[in-house]
Amino acid sequence: MTIDQSIPLSKDRLFNWLKTLSNQLSKGTLIIDINDENLSILHANPYFFKLTSFENEQIINQNISILNGKRTSKKSIEALNLHLKSGSPKKLTILHYNKEGSAFWNSITLHPIRNNENIIQYILLTCEDTTEETLNKMIYKLEHEVYQAIDHESNLQSILNLISEKIELFYIRDVYCTIHLYNENYDIKSIGSYTLPVHVINKLAFFEIKSNSNFNKSAIYLKDFTDTPLYNDISENYELGTIQGSWTKLILTPQNEISGILTLFNQDSTELKQIDINYLNRLTLLIQLAIKYAEQKIQLRHLAFYDVETNLPNLHYFKTQFSKWLNTGDSGFAAIIHPAEFNKIVDLYGRSAGADLLSQMANRLSEYLAVDDVLISRFSNSIVLGVKGESDSFTSYYQQIELLTLIPYLIDDKETYITIKIGYTNFDQSLTVDQIIHQSDIALSKARNRSGNSFEAYEENSTKQLIEEMEIFNQLAYALHHEEFLVYLQPKINFTTLEVEGFEALSRWNSSRLGFISPIKYIPIAEQTGKIKDIDLLNFKHILSWLQNRLNKGKKILPVSLNISPDHFYDPLFLENIRNIFNQFNIPPQYIKLEVTESIELVDLSRAKEILNQLNALGIECSIDDFGVGFSSLSYLPQLPFSEIKIDRSFVSSMNEPGMYAIVQTIILLAKNIKMRAIAEGIETKEQLVMLQQLGCPAGQGYYFYKPMSINDAEQLLDIEKTADEK
């Protein structure tokens, strides 16, 4: 609403004009004389009386503070008074109370009204009940906080406590909140609360869940405490506010089974209104989703971070935890400990016996070292060990590690002695986790060549790698200028028809001076130097040019996906550059897809969402690449407009392991549930293809079908398929 704030009238005539205007507005309005020290209300329109239940004589000559209550924010009161006294326009949302004491969120807009001399005479306030809208915003904010907490590995108990806390602090009524969760036998497995201690909650327990209970699952159950001994007992003995009654709502599973209850204990006798019902419904849905995602997160993390055969932490867990050490500047040593008799034990007693040996070794190692800063994980047929401490501290621990060989292991009910080979390296923040493991592995290869228990340290052999990296760095600019980077295409196969349904574009560099350079070598350097965006854009241009050329010739084309570096994705000019290149060609947007890794959300989730939405507006879909590697996706994935999830090759290559099979199955189901399409990467065997087909994965790529091919080879492949289609 816009008001002409300078009216050429006398003050009295101006007031009469404002009253007429006020009475015609469809919002609650008040008129206040700015020259009145008390800022008294001179006039209120009928909508205001309807909004607050007050009558005219109860409002006139009163201050707007008559709407304040015990939960009205002092900061909000101060802000409102400040703007009233200064006569500045402002919009505020304040928790106010009507005549009966019911709270509501009041959206207030201040309109200063000036006379013809540009002097403010009155303040016209418009008021609107925005309770439901504000509560919805609060629930949305709570939902975001809950997902963040789940993402940061908070347990389910802390999630329930967080929800209870936010409800008590920000709901419009004075309530105590409890959340009860039950197991399959309807025994309480968790209680979430903020203010109420557990012993008080137990006193208030009245809503019993049993297997044969017959509940209306959509109902809200009310309880009146005013006629019970608890009414006075709670406030007198526990220093809590008087509890007059409660509202209880069932928490249901996606299968409509009871998994818990949400109860709000009221400190006033305010009746249950439709807005409260809506709020409780949304809260129970939020709790249901929080439980589902928290449990799924726990399951995924265990499957991802623990070895199924030994139940030991796996290499992925080791890398994740070790990275945290490096990020905080820690140093120490890492070692790979290999039982030399491992293969013989597996040959004699089976793979489970080998896993049993590693498990026993890890348990002993934990006991012998007996220090806090230790990481022990399974690494193929060995144990990988990380110890924080002083540089070159391995020798001070070797005697404890060598104890692993003194006592026999019980394998298949037989005592078995082993010898160990150890390769180790010292680490600090100058190394990556992969470099540390690689160095330890190189040292282990040396140790294996010696008899008996043996260990070897990694030694710097030369500066060959550094020289190679510098040569690559020096040639990057030349290669970009002369467009030495090429696009290779790896076909994506539809698992139903076993036909090519599209391609993934992969960057390749055949340097005129250095020869063919692996992407594993030059892409990290390009990312570090900021040149990766130029490579991405050059590849994008090559793809569009190729598609345009085929279209112009009336030839068949298929969608092409291009990998975008996370560093490039957040570049301020990313969208502008993509648009500029895309608009140079006449390619239907459905033939272009951009792939980004799941780590993009770690930088700026809201910015990522904005970029993806703008790409979608262009008609360009996006997929999330290497899904599951970072395990930070569950909370943000439903919020980002991806159309496709690409299952990382590390999961596909190990699908014969039960744990990895379960992860792939979970990801495919997750993609289906959130209406995304799962694409499997790194398929190398028919067995993997069959397993993926059985799990309902719609498509994939890998060497089993095609290796990445040149554009010329892709041309021939498409032309052959088109000819086959025509026949």
Side-chain angles (χ1 to χ4, degrees), residues 509-521:
W509 179 17
N510 191 8
S511 170
S512 58
R513 300 187 182 183
L514 304 178
F516 178 81
I517 303 173
S518 169
I520 296 175
K521 292 183 178 180

Side-chain angles (χ1 to χ4, degrees), residues 27-28 40 254 368 387 433 440 494 560 581 618 642 665 681:
K27 294 182 180 180
S40 299
Y368 296 157
V387 179
V433 179
S440 300
N494 185 292
V560 180
I581 295 177
L618 290 173
F642 289 113
Q665 182 181 38
E681 296 182 296

Side-chain angles (χ1 to χ4, degrees), residues 21 72-73 107 184 213 253 259 293-294 359 391 411 445 456 466 501 536 539 559 566 569 577 695 715-716:
L21 173 64
T72 305
S73 164
S107 179
E184 61 276 5
S213 300
T253 67
S259 63
Y293 279 109
S359 180
S391 179
I411 305 296
S445 297
E456 288 284 347
L466 291 175
E501 69 173 28
D536 286 348
N539 291 338
F569 183 82
N577 290 335
L695 290 175
E715 289 262 4
Q716 295 179 22

